[in-house]
Amino acid sequence: ELTAYVEKELNIPGGVVFAEGYEDWQTRLRLARILTRNFQKYDKAIELFEGAVGSKPLNVEQFEDIVWALRDLFVCIYYHEKDFAKALKYIDQAITMMELDPDKKFTFFIRGELWCWRWNALKELGNLELALQEAQLKMQYPYRTGSNSYRYYAYYFIASLAYFDGEYEVATETLQQALQYYPVGENAAQLNTILSDTASDNKAKYEQLLQIVRQEAVWDI
């Protein structure tokens, strides 16, 4: 029924969504992602995600797909069920799998972002102290050259706490520290323009910076 609904609403030829068959866990993930991103049918998507993330990956691509699915499942539960303990279980599983290969570059998720999601869940569960301890540790993550998502998201997490507490100057300064480890690329001039703008207040600067750094970027780690 869900497949027929998606095919009709998106005008997709029949059989495309589940071309590999209904028993293929990666096609169930495909349908789950369509349901969340196109139709906001989170309950059905969560059911599909949960039925797929326990599958055994047979290659590197499938391994990454499961970690990506665990991250998507976390986000659905975090925002739409608001069951932070349940969500934490899935992001912890994703982190454990991700860290099995500390040098691999992934395509569909960012290492530091997964840790940042964990810290947000810990905060919601009243364990902000542990989240801050872990973020402080990630600020020391080995850094040579290039971008470092562990360090960036550790500083970003601290900055976000300051922002939501109304401490906009601290938030902007901390986010500026985070940018040392962000893959700035073609955005360098735009970021510098925002930071040097004396007419904007710190709250506006913080929000403008986030609009840029939330775009897709290619990380070294």
Side-chain angles (χ1 to χ4, degrees), residues 43-175:
D43 291 344
K44 296 297 184 182
I46 287 171
E47 184 178 349
L48 287 164
F49 278 129
E50 288 181 329
V53 295
S55 302
K56 182 178 179 180
L58 301 178
N59 52 50
V60 174
E61 290 74 20
Q62 290 186 357
F63 178 88
E64 181 171 359
D65 205 6
I66 288 178
V67 178
W68 180 24
L70 286 164
R71 177 257 188 198
D72 285 351
L73 178 55
F74 167 89
V75 172
C76 286
I77 294 170
Y78 184 93
Y79 282 114
H80 304 288
E81 289 189 355
K82 297 191 181 300
D83 186 337
F84 304 116
K86 180 181 176 182
L88 181 63
K89 177 184 73 172
Y90 288 116
I91 205 65
D92 282 348
Q93 187 178 342
I95 289 171
T96 297
M97 292 182 67
M98 172 188 71
E99 300 293 15
L100 291 173
D101 189 347
D103 298 318
K104 177 174 171 52
K105 292 184 180 181
F106 295 106
T107 303
F108 297 111
F109 57 87
I110 303 167
R111 290 177 178 274
E113 185 186 35
L114 296 192
W115 279 99
C116 193
W117 280 123
R118 169 177 161 79
W119 300 330
N120 278 292
L122 287 172
K123 176 174 67 74
E124 295 292 349
L125 291 168
N127 206 344
L128 179 58
E129 183 177 350
L130 176 58
L132 289 171
Q133 289 174 358
E134 292 182 358
Q136 293 286 346
L137 287 173
K138 285 293 180 284
M139 288 177 182
Q140 308 304 318
Y141 192 88
Y143 174 68
R144 295 179 291 274
T145 58
S147 55
N148 185 313
S149 69
Y150 290 107
R151 288 194 174 199
Y152 170 80
Y153 276 97
Y155 279 101
Y156 165 73
F157 177 68
I158 304 297
S160 69
L161 295 176
Y163 176 85
F164 287 111
D165 284 342
E167 298 176 359
Y168 302 122
E169 183 176 358
V170 174
T172 303
E173 289 176 352
T174 308
L175 187 57

Side-chain angles (χ1 to χ4, degrees), residues 170-206:
V170 174
T172 303
E173 289 176 352
T174 308
L175 187 57
Q176 187 173 357
Q177 287 180 284
L179 290 174
Q180 298 176 70
Y181 310 105
Y182 180 83
V184 174
E186 298 176 354
N187 296 318
Q190 193 174 359
L191 291 170
N192 288 331
T193 299
I194 294 171
L195 290 169
S196 60
D197 182 5
T198 57
S200 296
D201 59 29
N202 284 300
K203 182 175 184 292
K205 283 185 178 181
Y206 180 91

Side-chain angles (χ1 to χ4, degrees), residues 9-23:
E9 293 297 317
L10 297 182
N11 195 27
I12 298 173
V16 171
V17 176
F18 269 88
E20 295 86 350
Y22 285 98
E23 297 305 314

